[in-house]
Amino acid sequence: MSINTKYLKNNTQDIITASEILKSGGIVAIPTETVYGLAADMYNTQAVDKIFRAKNRPNDNPLIVHICDINQVYNLTDDFCVQAQELVKKYWPGPLTIILNKKKSVPNNITGNLDSVAIRFPAHKTAQKIIKHTGVPLVAPSANSSGKPSPTSFEHVLHDLDHKIDAILDGGTCDIGLESTVISFLEKTPRLLRPGFITQENIQSIIPEIIIDNSVYSKLDNNQKVISPGTKYKHYAPKSPVILINSSTENYVNFINQKYNQDQNILAMCFDEDLKYIKNNIKYISYGPENNFETQSRNLFKILRDTENIDISEIYVHINNNINNNFCDLKTAVYNRLVRAAGFNIINLI
Ligand code: AMP
Ligand code: MG
């Protein structure tokens, strides 16, 4: 079905319009500090169905509930434990999602039939105003077609969802560029399910003992229990195959130069520092300086999307990761997205 998608600006009038559309059961893409979210009233079953259809998202992949006041947590759960309270006191509003047991009144279609609910209080002022004006918490998964890189600008949402959703509010480019850190409080020891801008170190400054879920670093075996359904799906993939090259600058550049002799249509997705060593004529795109993970986060999804506009056969991404020795930091968060974009296809030259 083709919808006449409204394009809204980031001003008071259009924020009210976005809320009116949401109140009447529409779905609207809104900016947040992480990525753009595709919002709907969490209690409107038909609106939530529209989200799954517009994104082509599997129904068992649950949605995060977005609130604009910490007290709203008490409408969603009876188990707001002290550890979770202390953590959000420090990091909300912000890029942190907590998972708690859900109240009966939280609809099953937003939780993928799980007994738990994911909750976030975004820091983005426009997102906060839209939630407040709408008067109910909003579910808001990333506003991309399922499987594609998450959207960090109006143009990305337009590319994936124009004519499929009721409106897009243009709030410019997202500051962080990666989705929120997700931490579950369903077990005795809290479990980090998705790395993001709020790091393991940040969390452990409040909660000393946490578990890092296996899915953060590696592909789950078929018989392993999936705690976060989103982690089992193909994610973040552009059109061309992505291969990660875990390597020093020298080995990466040699690898790329040799590959080019066999196939002139490869793309080097590299660090700024590699550029001066890559042979003329080789197609390249940089995703930031090697040790600036804020810049890499902000650029990553845009760069993955930009590769779709270049005629290429394969994408060779430079990474430099002794990942298992590291703390779960922003570098891990970037790696977590890249390794999924690559379908866990990594060549180690270290
Ligand atoms: P997205 O909305 O695209 O940022 O994805 C939301 C992520 O949160 C997915 O990976 C989901 O699997 C995860 N998630 C949401 N709700 C739950 C939940 N109740 N339990 C575990 N993971 C969840
Ligand atoms: Mg997503």
Side-chain angles (χ1 to χ4, degrees):
M1 198 179 68
S2 185
I3 299 172
N4 192 6
T5 304
K6 275 202 176 80
Y7 308 142
L8 304 175
K9 296 276 177 222
N10 196 5
N11 58 41
T12 307
Q13 183 54 51
D14 281 11
I15 286 172
I16 292 169
T17 303
S19 304
E20 293 304 325
I21 296 172
L22 289 162
K23 276 190 211 173
S24 62
I27 56 174
V28 181
I30 63 170
T32 83
E33 70 276 23
T34 57
V35 301
Y36 275 72
L38 180 56
D41 171 350
M42 69 169 281
Y43 295 109
N44 187 321
T45 315
Q46 282 174 1
V48 173
D49 279 352
K50 283 190 212 165
I51 288 186
F52 283 100
R53 263 183 277 132
K55 280 180 59 76
N56 200 15
R57 182 173 173 112
N59 280 62
D60 69 347
N61 192 357
L63 309 178
I64 297 172
V65 175
H66 290 66
I67 59 174
C68 61
D69 177 339
I70 289 191
N71 288 320
Q72 289 175 309
V73 174
Y74 296 98
N75 300 329
L76 303 169
T77 182
D78 293 319
D79 291 338
F80 193 10
C81 56
V82 176
Q83 283 182 317
Q85 287 182 35
E86 307 249 293
L87 192 65
V88 304
K89 216 187 282 165
K90 171 104 180 177
Y91 293 110
W92 275 2
L96 175 77
T97 296
I98 58 169
I99 295 179
L100 301 167
N101 282 317
K102 80 173 191 75
K103 273 195 182 195
K104 272 218 175 72
S105 55
V106 173
N108 287 326
N109 67 334
I110 70 162
T111 66
N113 283 321
L114 297 172
D115 294 328
S116 55
V117 60
I119 310 167
R120 178 161 103 86
F121 180 172
H124 199 290
K125 293 293 174 226
T126 306
Q128 290 179 2
K129 285 179 196 162
I130 293 171
I131 302 166
K132 192 157 178 237
H133 281 298
T134 311
V136 280
L138 302 175
V139 283
S142 51
N144 53 298
S145 293
S146 246
K148 287 287 163 196
S150 298
T152 55
S153 71
F154 172 84
E155 289 73 22
H156 296 164
V157 182
L158 193 69
H159 178 271
D160 283 15
L161 298 178
D162 198 20
H163 302 302
K164 294 183 177 168
I165 65 178
D166 297 293
I168 311 171
L169 193 142
D170 185 355
T173 306
C174 300
D175 275 352
I176 294 175
L178 294 183
E179 309 88 339
S180 58
T181 305
V182 177
I183 182 159
S184 163
F185 289 90
L186 300 181
E187 301 158 83
K188 196 159 162 264
T189 309
R191 182 183 287 269
L192 193 122
L193 297 176
R194 181 169 73 184
F197 190 80
I198 305 294
T199 62
Q200 177 178 0
E201 196 177 10
N202 293 150
I203 295 169
Q204 289 189 325
S205 70
I206 312 287
I207 307 169
E209 201 192 339
I210 64 167
I211 296 168
I212 309 297
D213 195 61
N214 279 338
S215 65
V216 166
Y217 297 111
S218 32
K219 192 175 183 172
L220 293 175
D221 295 339
N222 287 341
N223 53 3
Q224 263 179 296
K225 189 173 174 234
V226 178
I227 298 180
S228 178
T231 58
K232 73 183 177 202
Y233 293 108
K234 188 176 171 216
H235 230 150
Y236 313 125
K239 274 190 208 136
S240 308
V242 176
I243 300 114
L244 306 189
I245 310 297
N246 189 18
S247 163
S248 64
T249 302
E250 192 184 350
N251 287 348
Y252 175 73
V253 171
N254 286 342
F255 177 90
I256 290 293
N257 291 341
Q258 272 173 25
K259 267 279 163 200
Y260 178 75
N261 293 336
Q262 298 156 17
D263 175 0
Q264 305 197 340
N265 245 355
I266 61 162
L267 179 76
M269 185 171 148
C270 59
F271 297 129
D272 289 354
E273 291 86 341
D274 301 328
L275 293 174
K276 59 176 180 279
Y277 303 110
I278 291 177
K279 267 197 212 156
N280 287 343
N281 304 329
I282 298 184
K283 293 174 194 168
Y284 65 83
I285 196 162
S286 166
Y287 67 110
E290 181 161 358
N291 290 312
N292 188 334
F293 306 107
E294 270 93 8
T295 304
Q296 289 177 24
S297 301
R298 207 172 301 122
N299 288 343
L300 184 66
F301 291 139
K302 175 184 187 302
I303 298 294
L304 285 172
R305 281 175 176 267
D306 285 350
T307 66
E308 297 200 339
N309 302 322
I310 317 171
D311 180 26
I312 45 172
S313 52
E314 285 176 325
I315 304 168
Y316 290 97
V317 183
H318 189 187
I319 61 166
N320 190 352
N321 251 348
N322 264 325
I323 202 77
N324 293 329
N325 302 328
N326 280 344
F327 233 40
C328 195
D329 55 10
L330 194 54
K331 181 177 181 175
T332 317
V334 171
Y335 173 79
N336 172 275
R337 289 6 179 237
L338 273 174
V339 82
R340 282 171 172 74
F344 292 86
N345 195 352
I346 310 172
I347 298 176
N348 271 303
L349 299 180
I350 279 184

